[in-house]
Amino acid sequence: MENIDWQSLDFTCVKEVNPPLDREADQWYRTARNLQKKDEEKYYKEIFDFYIKAAERNHYKALIWLSTLYVDGIVVKADERIAVEYVEKVIRLNVPAGYYQMGVFLEQGIGVKQ
């Protein structure tokens, strides 16, 4: 597996406006992402639990990752309905990434009849 320089992929969009993040929820999200980057199955349950805690405080990035976990069936049984519900919540928070994720789902036929 190729070693990815994650730092080189970081950027800040100067046009996108998102709601402020709860500080503690953001720490949970960051912990989950750091564990996820290790790409080891032994961390899956912990990653999921951190995302759930962050999502309960409307952390939109955690909500989007949870939708992905439900689509892919990682840690939890695959459930497109739940995945779409998480993305809809991001859209209700008026976060641009939610609209993008929903577009990806629609394009891939996730949550809609083919």
Side-chain angles (χ1 to χ4, degrees), residues 48-71 74 76-77 79-95 97-99 101-102 105 110:
F48 181 79
D49 290 344
F50 277 119
Y51 281 149
I52 287 290
K53 286 172 64 171
E56 288 171 351
R57 294 197 185 169
N58 291 326
H59 194 290
Y60 56 89
K61 295 177 185 179
L63 289 160
I64 289 173
W65 273 107
L66 281 170
S67 74
T68 302
L69 295 178
Y70 272 97
V71 167
I74 298 174
V76 293
K77 182 180 178 193
D79 190 326
E80 292 181 359
R81 182 187 53 77
I82 294 173
V84 168
E85 287 175 5
Y86 279 125
V87 173
E88 287 175 339
K89 186 170 185 177
V90 177
I91 291 170
R92 285 192 302 277
L93 293 170
N94 202 32
V95 175
Y99 295 94
Q101 185 74 7
M102 187 62 77
F105 280 6
I110 296 169

Side-chain angles (χ1 to χ4, degrees), residues 12 15 34 72 79 97:
T12 301
K15 295 185 181 194
N34 288 333
D72 295 339
D79 190 326

